[in-house]
Amino acid sequence: MRLAVEKATKCICRCLVICEIVCYTASLLKEDRFCGRSEEDMTIQEEIKKLKEEKQAVILAHYYVKPEVQEIADYIGDSFYLSKIAAKLENPIIVYCGVSFMGESGCLLSPDKKVLMPDKAADCPMAHMVLKEEVETARNTYEDLVVVCYINSTAEIKSWSDVSVTSANAVKIVKNLPNKNVLFIPDKNLGRFVAEQVPEKNVMLVKGYCPIHENILADEIRELKRVHPDAEILVHPECCEEVTAMADYIGSTSGIIQYASESEKKEWIIGTETGVRYELEKRNPDNQFYFPKTEPICKDMKLITLEKILYVLKTEENQAGVAVETAEAAKKTLDKMLELAK
């Protein structure tokens, strides 16, 4: 009898020890979900999260990048939102999932941070569509001229300007500027939209445009409306005049998302880059969103992949930068934008 009790006691003790070890191990794994796992066993999303935590990095993503990139981002938004976030971040490393002018803006607003671009080849054609001679000619012609630069432009072009704007705040800022004569660069379509909202100003334009929005065809929007007569038309102001004339709402990417999300309607015709579908459907899973037959896809935004994000986090290569001779003047335009847009 005594021997049986001793055996039972030893067995219970072993069980308690095993239980404590298991519980302790489980606790450690709960604290560090990557504990004891090799890179081969991790998904690419887990590898990105692990490196991001180790390096105190933060991932910013534009609405136009791929859905899987938006999913792993810490902040998702349009150019205005991301510029505000970049100016406030304390993280030493920013991974900017977007095109080159966004990385430059990140450098200008967070000069003490390391800004990494998953693909340095990702660019915006419109960001280059104005000549310095055009700006100088206008300055020499109008004494009170203010040069308003769409944020979708290079740092060099910003340095020729007085204030930057985004599609979300352009009307507000131009309306509140004291100058009557305004040179709006480089987007002629957004500039035209702004001019329509502030008829008291003399808004002059150049010939820049976004190829993706410029190629959204009015005939395709009309066909969608014919098939879906109850759907409202929401378009970006970078679209051509024939398209914006049909719209029920014209606004920035974030404005389009907010408008659809706050409405009781369930059907929408969307006139902007298809990447916005992810956030629209995420916020409004019971709604239907219709895009033009010729899909508006920004190939540069789609260059950003999870593999490239992981690579720059590992290597810290593809660091964005701005030339010293343009950085100060370019930053002033962004600082003024953030001040005037409050």
Side-chain angles (χ1 to χ4, degrees):
M1 177 72 176
R2 182 178 178 183
L3 183 61
V5 170
E6 288 178 353
K7 284 183 177 179
T9 303
K10 289 179 180 178
C11 182
I12 290 169
C13 289
R14 282 199 301 271
C15 289
L16 287 172
V17 170
I18 291 169
C19 181
E20 285 179 4
I21 291 171
V22 170
C23 291
Y24 179 66
T25 304
S27 175
L28 283 176
L29 287 170
K30 188 175 181 181
E31 290 177 9
D32 183 1
R33 58 188 176 280
F34 308 115
C35 178
R37 297 178 64 192
S38 66
E39 287 187 6
E40 289 77 12
D41 295 330
M42 292 185 197
T43 66
I44 191 167
Q45 290 89 346
E46 288 174 331
E47 284 191 76
I48 288 170
K49 288 177 182 177
K50 181 175 183 290
L51 276 171
K52 189 179 69 172
E53 290 170 10
E54 289 175 358
K55 299 192 174 189
Q56 300 179 56
V58 63
I59 299 175
L60 307 185
H62 194 276
Y63 285 128
Y64 294 166
V65 298
K66 295 177 179 179
E68 61 269 26
V69 174
Q70 295 187 49
E71 284 177 5
I72 55 91
D74 298 292
Y75 300 94
I76 311 165
D78 59 11
S79 297
F80 182 45
Y81 173 76
L82 295 178
S83 65
K84 290 190 294 182
I85 292 296
K88 297 176 182 178
L89 287 172
E90 296 182 357
N91 305 69
I93 296 175
I94 299 173
V95 179
Y96 223 124
C97 299
V99 293
S100 56
F101 75 80
M102 297 177 183
E104 288 182 340
S105 294
C107 291
L108 293 170
L109 292 167
S110 301
D112 56 334
K113 307 293 191 296
K114 184 178 286 187
V115 179
L116 305 178
M117 303 300 292
D119 194 317
K120 290 197 79 170
D123 198 4
C124 171
M126 180 176 63
H128 308 271
M129 291 186 184
V130 63
L131 299 175
K132 190 173 185 179
E133 290 75 12
E134 293 176 285
V135 176
E136 291 175 343
T137 298
R139 286 199 186 278
N140 292 333
T141 305
Y142 300 93
E143 288 185 5
D144 72 331
L145 183 80
V146 60
V147 180
V148 176
C149 183
Y150 192 16
I151 198 171
N152 297 27
S153 59
T154 65
E156 182 183 7
I157 289 173
K158 288 181 179 71
S159 73
W160 308 337
S161 311
D162 299 299
V163 60
S164 289
V165 297
T166 70
S167 54
N169 61 34
V171 173
K172 177 181 179 180
I173 289 177
V174 171
K175 185 183 285 289
N176 291 326
L177 289 170
N179 314 66
K180 178 176 176 58
N181 294 300
V182 179
L183 176 64
F184 193 98
I185 59 174
D187 184 13
K188 64 179 181 180
N189 290 316
L190 177 59
R192 184 200 68 253
F193 173 73
V194 170
E196 291 169 353
Q197 310 307 307
V198 287
E200 68 276 15
K201 305 276 186 176
N202 176 32
V203 180
M204 293 161 278
L205 310 174
V206 292
K207 296 180 180 179
Y209 60 92
C210 167
I212 289 80
H213 287 93
E214 179 82 358
N215 288 329
I216 292 177
L217 304 176
D219 286 344
E220 292 187 2
I221 299 294
R222 288 192 194 94
E223 177 60 15
L224 283 172
K225 184 67 174 177
R226 185 188 69 78
V227 177
H228 308 285
D230 294 331
E232 286 198 358
I233 301 172
L234 314 182
V235 307
H236 198 283
E238 290 180 19
C239 293
C240 69
E241 188 171 8
E242 191 177 3
V243 170
T244 57
M246 291 186 286
D248 296 290
Y249 173 79
I250 306 169
S252 65
T253 311
S254 59
I256 288 172
I257 293 168
Q258 183 177 354
Y259 187 94
S261 300
E262 293 178 352
S263 174
E264 295 182 359
K265 287 187 171 290
K266 301 296 182 183
E267 290 188 281
W268 309 96
I269 295 167
I270 306 298
T272 191
E273 212 276 347
T274 56
V276 75
R277 183 194 294 273
Y278 173 79
E279 188 70 18
L280 284 169
E281 292 182 345
K282 181 180 174 183
R283 295 194 194 185
N284 310 281
D286 57 339
N287 286 13
Q288 295 296 318
F289 299 97
Y290 311 113
F291 286 78
K293 183 179 179 181
T294 305
E295 282 195 276
I297 297 175
C298 176
K299 293 181 180 179
D300 284 89
M301 286 287 193
K302 300 304 189 271
L303 289 173
I304 312 305
T305 64
L306 295 179
E307 290 78 11
K308 292 173 182 177
I309 293 169
L310 180 60
Y311 178 80
V312 295
L313 278 170
K314 282 181 175 179
T315 65
E316 297 185 22
E317 293 179 12
N318 291 356
Q319 186 171 348
V322 178
V324 175
E325 59 269 23
T326 61
E328 184 178 357
K331 184 178 186 301
K332 285 180 180 178
T333 71
L334 293 171
D335 290 338
K336 190 168 184 178
M337 175 188 75
L338 294 175
E339 178 187 345
L340 295 175
K342 289 179 182 177

